[in-house]
Amino acid sequence: MKRAAITLAVALSALAAAACGHTIEQKAATGAIAGAVVAGPVGAAVGGAAGAAVGQAEKPN
């Protein structure tokens, strides 16, 4: 249960930080940093993926 709460916190903070930046790479990097702060290497991977997903979603058609 505690692990699920940590994972949720990482995901939420990564999504919030993923809004920072102009390019997909910048959004992935800020998401990775936020995830690393919250949950170490696993959080960095989750945060980077979330940042890239947000950047891809905001990409103009």
Side-chain angles (χ1 to χ4, degrees), residues 22-59:
H22 297 288
T23 66
I24 294 171
E25 291 83 6
Q26 290 173 345
K27 291 175 188 293
T30 56
I33 290 170
V37 168
V38 175
V42 174
V46 171
V54 169
Q56 194 69 20
E58 292 179 350
K59 191 173 162 181

Side-chain angles (χ1 to χ4, degrees), residues 2-14 30-48:
K2 188 174 183 180
R3 180 168 279 214
I6 291 173
T7 304
L8 180 61
V10 169
L12 291 176
S13 66
T30 56
I33 290 170
V37 168
V38 175
V42 174
V46 171

